[in-house]
Amino acid sequence: MNPGSVKVFAEWLPKGGFFIWGQWKNDTKWSQLHPTELKLRLFAWHRSSFYGTLIKELTPDNRSGIYLSPWMALGLFAEPVQATTMEWLWSEEITNLREIAPVIKQALVEGRWRPDFDKWQQGQRGWRLDWPDDLKALADIPYLSTWTDQIIDELIKQNEDIIQAWDELAGTYPLLQSGHHRTVSFAGEEDWLEAIGWQVDDTPFRTCLQLVEPLDDNIWQLNILLQDKKDQNRLVKWDAVTEGLASCKDGEVPADWAAHRRRVERDIEKWKIIVPWLADCKNYPEERGRIRSKLSEAEAWEFLNADSIKLVAAGYTVLLPKWWQEVQKLKPKLKMKTRSSVGSWRERCLGVEQLLQFDWKLAVGDLELSEEEFRRLAKEKRRLMYIRGQWIILDPAFLQQVLRVVKSKKTFSLGEALQTYLLSPEDEQGSVSEETDRQSDAVTFEVELNEQLSRMVEQLRSLSTVPVEDDFASFHGTLRNYQRMGSSWLLFLRRFGLGGCLADDMGLGKTVQWIAYLLKVKENNLAEDKPHTPSLLICPTSVMGNWQKELARFAPGLNIYLHYGPQRKKGQDFQSAIAGADLVITTYGLAHLDEEDLCSAEWDCICLDEAQNIKNAYTKQSSAVRRLKGSHRVALTGTPVENRLTELWSIMDFLNPGYLGSLGDFKRRFVSVIERKREAQDIQRVQRLIGPFLLRRVKSDPAIELALPEKQERKEYIPLTAEQASLYENVLQSMFDGLDQADDMARRGLILATLTKLKQICNHPALFLKEGNLFNIRERSNKVDRLLAMVEEVRQQGDRCLIFTQFVGMGQMLRQILQKELGEQAFFLHGGTPKGQRDEMIARFQDRTLVGPKACHIFILSLKAGGVGLNLTAANHVFHFDRWWNPAVENQATDRSHRIGQQRHVQVHKFISLGTLEERIDEMIERKQELNQQIVGGGESWITELSTGELREIFTLRKEWVGA
């Protein structure tokens, strides 16, 4: 560009900084000056911007120019332009800026700038420069304050030394941060500059406030102290200085301190601003015009709890009583302390519904207040109290909540006390939260048990602490150590009227443990000369004979009455029949049918064998059983939970009525949470709750020392025939066609019905088609063919076997084909088999001395009728022809053979149809059973909750496994 004239314009941008553009004149014509040319001309001298090349170009509103930060603009306006080959013309805006920029730069160089007190009070951070009074340009620049603020901010950011100094200052004096304007007030700018550390305070002391607790008159003292800045241990009362004392009880008063009276007066004025009520002396006229020196208890609390914090935030030292910091940490706790009862626990038989006597206490640290004391304090509505040599804090609102809890808890049962201990975390043992008046907060109270109850609870939580009974003299036989412990555990629970569930693994001898318990109870009752009362045993019909045999073997001295059959006694005849009996045995079905007779008696002990029979709380027999009256309740089961946790509630509600609350409460508190979240902590809560009343040992536990022979499980994978595959596909398609139109209940019913049909097809087409005339039985099902081959091999080796199926029709079919193919007798036990015939079947199967037509080596059993309670150790092979898909139920069935008395290696064979739902569900069984195994130790209802897509994935037939 040829030499000529250049006119430069400036515009302040809303976000800060300047937009600079120029025009140049050559001859008589003015033209827009290109931004690149402009910045290279203006900043030819500026090294840090690489002589203008790093300056940003802008094009707002179709104008071309450059952007200058606040600091860069200061440099441009404060220094003369170096490029003198051109004539520089400045707009009126820039002319004013060029007049004031050197003043700003000089003020910065000389340090004539400081934080702006007025802006700080408005919640902003800003700066103030010292301006000359005659600078005319000041009035013409509306954005001057913002520009100078941004210049200083940019200067601080660019200089590492300044950044470090500023950070240290802001850390030391947090009042520099703009947010503090809302909580702190100051007497003036000088006061604020000193507080933030910007302006040096040469006072040799700092002004402090000291709060002193009352001695006798409940009046708190607020003293003004002067603390030597060089020796913080040196404290002098302000009164000693004002009175011109040379010394006081705190030591010598420096002579020069009186010269700084204004500093103290300024601090006092500031305190009045921060805590206005300190200047209110209407109740203390002698202090008028000064700061309060006498405080009531309420005022002392306000000062301790809130106002002292404000003063400290403003930079002042406040000396509070030494105990204040510790007392603040003490959280009052409501305690329920149970009293020792009169008499022996052994004589009382408490039960979970037994009401406990208790006293309320309020604990604050090591101090305990009686109910009378904390009621009086609540009435006085005091916050700070000196009780028995100790200061404590009590919130009146908290005390009112405590009183509401005390009023609502008129009674407290043993069951509630147990839940308090068992459900609380280990570090909060014995605490319960009570909702208070629809508020979100809660009052927590602890239960402190007396020595006897505390010992009982600890024994309930730890089996190893339960006293073991050594003398079972009436028992005809030898109890293993773990069986002796089981019987002793039942006796221990009986002492306190607490029911227990013996849930040992199948084959560990739950029967003999209860028989030993029953005999010991009879011994104790005779020794204590108690009136004779019979006990009641309720069991499935299929195991009544087994109980008769076991009782005759181990307790021949017991008088047994069997309440069963069409000739059973009723009414007064029933009462006469049981009068001399030690034990009455009946069935679950009769528990409902003969409820009136059974409920008319007061039983010594009520025992449920195979207690999972009352798992459905809504059935008539379950309700009838829970209505029976007895001194002690016992449940025997290897599967306390088969499908859902609600089954556990039903058993526990029989054992200890009301302990788990209503079924609805149990579902809400535990079941829905666990089934939705499956979190370990929720499962552990149920474990802690039921643990004291459920004893479960498994065969694999080294402590059992069972020494059972090995059990080997093997899965037999078998393909479908073409006929089976065709039927399978048709049934499956029919289900999917109906799912979309079905509501929730109909959908579940359709899935379960289809499940049954598919399992029948996997077993044999004739079972599904309900064919009366059976033909080609072996050829139409590979399962049947494989079973026949394996059973034939078992018989050639001289072994015996059990075959489980859930379908009566399948059992009859298998019995027919096995007898035909093998030429020997096969028994089939199912729900319709009369008791006498059952007992004969079991005895003949177990008798190894029988030969010829009377002998039996093949025993077919329906899973429900033969899967529990039977002792069939003559068999060392177990076949699960179709799957129940509940490992606990299948294991129960297997343990008919793999139990005490078994001497040989047991082989378990589980049949699975390849490519079908049987194979897919088998893969899911481990995951499905995880929850119930965690609780105590799963059916098929869970399958109905799967989505249609998941059902399709599980049920769909994989045709590559279909046979010819």
Side-chain angles (χ1 to χ4, degrees):
M1 186 182 79
N2 296 325
S5 301
V6 176
K7 189 170 184 178
V8 184
F9 302 85
E11 178 185 329
W12 176 256
L13 298 174
K15 293 184 179 180
F18 289 88
F19 173 62
I20 308 294
W21 75 97
Q23 296 176 348
W24 70 281
K25 182 180 181 183
N26 193 3
D27 296 329
T28 60
K29 184 179 180 182
W30 288 92
S31 302
Q32 183 77 26
L33 183 62
H34 194 278
T36 302
E37 188 70 27
L38 177 62
K39 66 183 181 180
L40 293 177
R41 293 283 182 177
L42 286 176
F43 292 92
W45 52 274
H46 197 255
R47 292 184 59 185
S48 62
S49 67
F50 204 65
Y51 310 106
T53 57
L54 299 181
I55 293 175
K56 184 179 179 181
E57 297 181 10
L58 291 180
T59 58
D61 304 325
N62 297 320
R63 295 178 294 165
S64 297
I66 61 176
Y67 169 76
L68 296 183
S69 69
W71 175 253
M72 287 288 291
L74 178 66
L76 173 65
F77 302 144
E79 300 291 338
V81 177
Q82 300 296 316
T84 58
T85 58
M86 302 187 67
E87 179 187 12
W88 292 94
L89 302 175
W90 308 104
S91 68
E92 183 179 355
E93 184 92 0
I94 293 180
T95 300
N96 288 333
L97 293 170
R98 282 170 63 79
E99 181 181 356
I100 202 169
V103 180
I104 297 174
K105 188 171 185 179
Q106 188 65 26
L108 294 176
V109 171
E110 295 175 359
R112 290 186 285 107
W113 57 284
R114 64 186 183 277
D116 191 317
F117 180 58
D118 294 333
K119 290 180 179 177
W120 179 86
Q121 286 183 309
Q122 298 170 15
Q124 305 170 4
R125 191 177 85 173
W127 309 94
R128 176 178 295 179
L129 274 68
D130 294 333
W131 301 105
D133 295 336
D134 58 348
L135 194 61
K136 297 178 180 180
L138 288 174
D140 298 324
I141 304 177
Y143 50 81
L144 179 60
S145 177
T146 304
W147 183 31
T148 55
D149 285 348
Q150 293 182 355
I151 288 172
I152 296 174
D153 286 340
E154 194 173 353
L155 176 64
I156 291 174
K157 292 178 182 177
Q158 289 179 355
N159 191 308
E160 292 185 2
D161 293 336
I162 295 180
I163 292 174
Q164 183 176 354
W166 175 257
D167 289 342
E168 291 176 359
L169 192 64
T172 306
Y173 300 98
L175 295 177
L176 273 172
Q177 309 304 320
S178 59
H180 285 280
H181 78 284
R182 298 178 181 86
T183 57
V184 183
S185 300
F186 292 90
E189 183 173 15
E190 182 182 3
D191 185 26
W192 179 69
L193 289 172
E194 287 183 0
I196 68 174
W198 191 272
Q199 187 167 293
V200 178
D201 176 15
D202 60 355
T203 308
F205 57 80
R206 58 178 58 90
T207 317
C208 311
L209 274 173
Q210 179 193 43
L211 184 67
V212 181
E213 64 265 31
L215 296 176
D216 300 316
D217 55 1
N218 209 31
I219 299 298
W220 295 68
Q221 193 72 32
L222 191 62
N223 298 325
I224 301 174
L225 301 182
L226 307 182
Q227 184 183 50
D228 195 326
K229 288 183 177 178
K230 295 181 179 179
D231 181 6
Q232 294 186 3
N233 294 321
R234 188 182 197 181
L235 295 166
V236 177
K237 280 190 176 182
W238 172 234
D239 291 344
V241 177
T242 57
E243 295 170 9
L245 301 178
S247 64
C248 62
K249 66 178 183 179
D250 298 311
E252 294 184 1
V253 180
D256 60 334
W257 281 19
H260 296 276
R261 173 188 294 269
R262 176 61 190 144
R263 168 79 258 183
V264 179
E265 292 173 346
R266 203 169 73 205
D267 287 339
I268 292 174
E269 291 304 313
K270 182 178 174 183
W271 294 344
K272 292 179 180 179
I273 295 172
I274 298 172
V275 187
W277 65 265
L278 288 179
D280 180 10
C281 301
K282 61 183 179 182
N283 295 327
Y284 302 93
E286 70 277 7
E287 297 188 348
R288 186 168 288 118
R290 298 184 298 174
I291 196 169
R292 292 274 300 279
S293 64
K294 298 177 181 179
L295 307 182
S296 66
E297 180 190 291
E299 291 168 334
W301 165 259
E302 190 66 25
F303 186 83
L304 284 166
N305 192 54
D307 295 326
S308 62
I309 299 173
K310 296 178 184 178
L311 292 166
V312 171
Y316 287 98
T317 299
V318 181
L319 305 175
L320 302 177
K322 294 180 180 179
W323 47 262
W324 172 247
Q325 189 172 2
E326 290 300 320
V327 166
Q328 289 182 92
K329 299 176 184 177
L330 300 178
K331 301 300 181 185
K333 293 182 180 179
L334 183 60
K335 284 187 176 183
M336 176 186 285
K337 300 184 73 170
T338 62
R339 304 177 197 160
S340 296
S341 299
V342 180
S344 168
W345 294 110
R346 181 185 294 272
E347 297 170 356
R348 297 193 60 205
C349 285
L350 296 174
V352 293
E353 297 177 329
Q354 176 68 42
L355 298 181
L356 303 179
Q357 295 179 331
F358 62 89
D359 296 310
W360 288 107
K361 302 287 183 181
L362 189 66
V364 186
D366 297 330
L367 183 68
E368 277 193 356
L369 304 177
S370 66
E371 183 177 348
E372 180 182 354
E373 286 177 309
F374 68 70
R375 282 186 180 275
R376 174 174 56 80
L377 295 175
K379 188 175 181 180
E380 294 176 1
K381 297 182 179 179
R382 297 174 59 188
R383 289 181 178 272
L384 290 167
M385 280 144 286
Y386 189 72
I387 300 178
R388 297 197 280 278
Q390 182 176 337
W391 283 96
I392 62 171
I393 301 172
L394 285 178
D395 181 5
F398 171 78
L399 284 176
Q400 292 303 317
Q401 293 175 352
V402 166
L403 292 180
R404 285 195 288 269
V405 172
V406 170
K407 183 178 180 180
S408 66
K409 280 285 182 187
K410 295 296 185 183
T411 61
F412 199 67
S413 67
L414 176 61
E416 290 177 289
L418 290 174
Q419 285 205 28
T420 301
Y421 266 75
L422 301 173
L423 286 184
S424 301
E426 293 296 330
D427 56 346
E428 299 178 8
Q429 196 65 56
S431 65
V432 174
S433 292
E434 292 289 330
E435 289 296 323
T436 56
D437 270 1
R438 302 178 185 175
Q439 299 176 12
S440 59
D441 56 348
V443 171
T444 297
F445 71 83
E446 294 181 353
V447 176
E448 188 174 308
L449 300 178
N450 61 54
E451 182 180 355
Q452 293 167 308
L453 279 178
S454 180
R455 185 169 62 251
M456 180 201 76
V457 171
E458 288 306 310
Q459 288 175 315
L460 284 173
R461 296 175 65 195
S462 177
L463 182 64
S464 61
T465 61
V466 172
V468 179
E469 180 66 52
D470 293 325
D471 183 15
F472 288 95
S474 303
F475 183 79
H476 286 229
T478 302
L479 292 171
R480 297 172 182 263
N481 289 334
Y482 76 87
Q483 293 173 332
R484 189 181 301 274
M485 172 57 76
S487 300
S488 300
W489 178 73
L490 292 174
L491 290 166
F492 172 77
L493 292 177
R494 179 185 176 89
R495 288 172 51 192
F496 302 99
L498 301 175
C501 177
L502 189 56
D504 285 345
D505 216 349
M506 293 299 102
L508 293 184
K510 294 187 290 295
T511 300
V512 297
Q513 292 178 68
W514 189 72
I515 291 175
Y517 154 88
L518 194 64
L519 290 167
K520 192 63 182 178
V521 168
K522 182 178 180 180
E523 289 179 22
N524 293 338
N525 289 342
L526 289 172
E528 297 171 12
D529 198 25
K530 288 186 176 181
H532 174 75
T533 307
S535 292
L536 176 66
L537 170 67
I538 302 176
C539 63
T541 304
S542 60
V543 299
M544 288 185 71
N546 190 65
W547 270 103
Q548 287 177 290
K549 297 289 185 181
E550 298 289 272
L551 286 163
R553 176 183 175 186
F554 296 111
L558 287 181
N559 185 5
I560 310 298
Y561 172 71
L562 193 66
H563 182 68
Y564 180 75
Q567 305 303 318
R568 64 186 183 276
K569 305 294 183 181
K570 299 288 187 71
Q572 189 56 48
D573 291 340
F574 173 77
Q575 296 294 331
S576 301
I578 68 173
D582 295 310
L583 177 64
V584 175
I585 304 177
T586 191
T587 66
Y588 285 101
L590 295 180
H592 163 57
L593 294 175
D594 294 353
E595 179 181 353
E596 184 177 350
D597 286 333
L598 295 172
C599 285
S600 67
E602 186 76 33
W603 306 100
D604 185 73
C605 176
I606 303 171
C607 177
L608 304 185
D609 186 28
E610 305 299 343
Q612 67 273 14
N613 279 275
I614 66 163
K615 64 185 180 181
N616 188 340
Y618 299 110
T619 62
K620 292 181 178 179
Q621 71 179 29
S622 179
S623 299
V625 165
R626 292 203 299 274
R627 282 193 287 269
L628 296 171
K629 295 173 290 184
S631 301
H632 192 213
R633 298 184 175 206
V634 174
L636 309 178
T637 176
T639 55
V641 178
E642 287 188 349
N643 295 312
R644 295 191 177 276
L645 286 176
T646 50
E647 300 168 5
L648 183 64
W649 177 90
S650 184
I651 294 175
M652 284 294 165
D653 194 61
F654 159 75
L655 294 172
N656 297 295
Y659 174 64
L660 295 182
S662 68
L663 181 55
D665 289 339
F666 185 70
K667 287 180 178 179
R668 176 179 54 82
R669 294 176 64 194
F670 301 105
V671 179
S672 61
V673 175
I674 289 174
E675 293 183 350
R676 183 177 70 253
K677 296 165 62 178
R678 298 292 178 103
E679 291 187 1
Q681 61 186 17
D682 297 317
I683 296 173
Q684 288 168 2
R685 293 182 71 223
V686 178
Q687 288 175 324
R688 291 200 299 268
L689 197 60
I690 67 171
F693 310 109
L694 189 146
L695 179 58
R696 180 167 179 78
R697 281 85 55 92
V698 297
K699 294 173 183 174
S700 58
D701 187 345
I704 297 299
E705 299 178 347
L706 192 58
L708 277 177
E710 183 182 354
K711 178 180 70 173
Q712 181 182 4
E713 293 190 356
R714 178 180 175 181
K715 295 176 181 177
E716 302 289 337
Y717 295 96
I718 304 164
L720 298 182
T721 63
E723 181 187 7
Q724 288 174 302
S726 177
L727 292 170
Y728 189 102
E729 294 251 78
N730 289 335
V731 168
L732 196 59
Q733 188 58 49
S734 177
M735 180 190 74
F736 286 121
D737 289 344
L739 281 181
D740 293 338
Q741 287 75 37
D743 58 22
D744 286 346
M745 290 299 295
R747 185 180 188 276
R748 293 189 181 96
L750 179 59
I751 293 172
L752 289 175
T754 303
L755 199 60
T756 299
K757 293 175 183 178
L758 294 178
K759 289 200 291 185
Q760 290 175 334
I761 292 170
C762 290
N763 279 1
H764 200 285
L767 180 63
F768 168 70
L769 297 172
K770 297 180 173 58
E771 295 177 347
N773 297 319
L774 301 178
F775 63 95
N776 296 335
I777 295 178
R778 189 164 185 168
E779 291 78 4
R780 297 171 67 191
S781 170
N782 292 324
K783 255 192 187 183
V784 172
D785 184 63
R786 177 64 176 149
L787 177 69
L788 288 172
M790 294 181 72
V791 172
E792 186 175 7
E793 183 178 347
V794 165
R795 292 299 303 122
Q796 287 175 354
Q797 296 171 354
D799 292 337
R800 303 187 184 197
C801 65
L802 306 178
I803 303 171
F804 287 99
T805 177
Q806 59 192 281
F807 300 107
V808 173
M810 194 69 237
Q812 293 169 339
M813 191 186 308
L814 290 176
R815 179 173 179 268
Q816 178 180 335
I817 188 65
L818 283 166
Q819 290 186 153
K820 178 182 178 182
E821 294 285 331
L822 300 182
E824 62 175 283
Q825 177 149 287
F827 288 159
F828 177 37
L829 188 153
H830 54 85
T833 307
K835 179 183 178 299
Q837 189 177 343
R838 291 170 186 245
D839 295 344
E840 182 184 358
M841 286 180 180
I842 294 168
R844 289 173 61 183
F845 182 79
Q846 285 288 94
D847 191 347
R848 296 179 182 275
T849 64
L850 295 177
V851 294
K854 290 188 176 182
C856 178
H857 309 95
I858 304 169
F859 208 154
I860 307 166
L861 308 99
S862 71
L863 195 61
K864 286 192 174 182
V868 294
L870 302 181
N871 189 344
L872 300 172
T873 52
N876 63 322
H877 286 266
V878 179
F879 293 92
H880 291 283
F881 187 73
D882 44 56
R883 306 295 301 281
W884 186 250
W885 294 330
N886 185 322
V889 173
E890 287 188 347
N891 290 339
Q892 269 193 319
T894 297
D895 287 339
R896 300 307 96 223
S897 171
H898 192 243
R899 59 193 296 119
I900 295 173
Q902 179 60 262
Q903 303 296 322
R904 293 180 295 169
H905 174 79
V906 175
Q907 297 186 55
V908 183
H909 312 275
K910 298 181 178 182
F911 283 24
I912 298 171
S913 296
L914 273 171
T916 70
L917 79 165
E918 291 191 347
E919 183 182 9
R920 302 287 180 85
I921 295 179
D922 178 69
E923 295 169 355
M924 298 173 65
I925 280 181
E926 293 303 321
R927 286 173 290 176
K928 185 262 176 186
Q929 69 171 326
E930 179 181 353
L931 171 63
N932 293 338
Q933 285 185 332
Q934 285 178 299
I935 295 291
V936 295
E940 299 169 354
S941 59
W942 59 277
I943 298 175
T944 66
E945 307 302 322
L946 299 177
S947 68
T948 301
E950 291 170 324
L951 289 172
R952 195 177 299 277
E953 181 181 349
I954 293 173
F955 282 22
T956 298
L957 179 64
R958 289 182 290 171
K959 297 180 180 179
E960 65 268 23
W961 293 111
V962 177

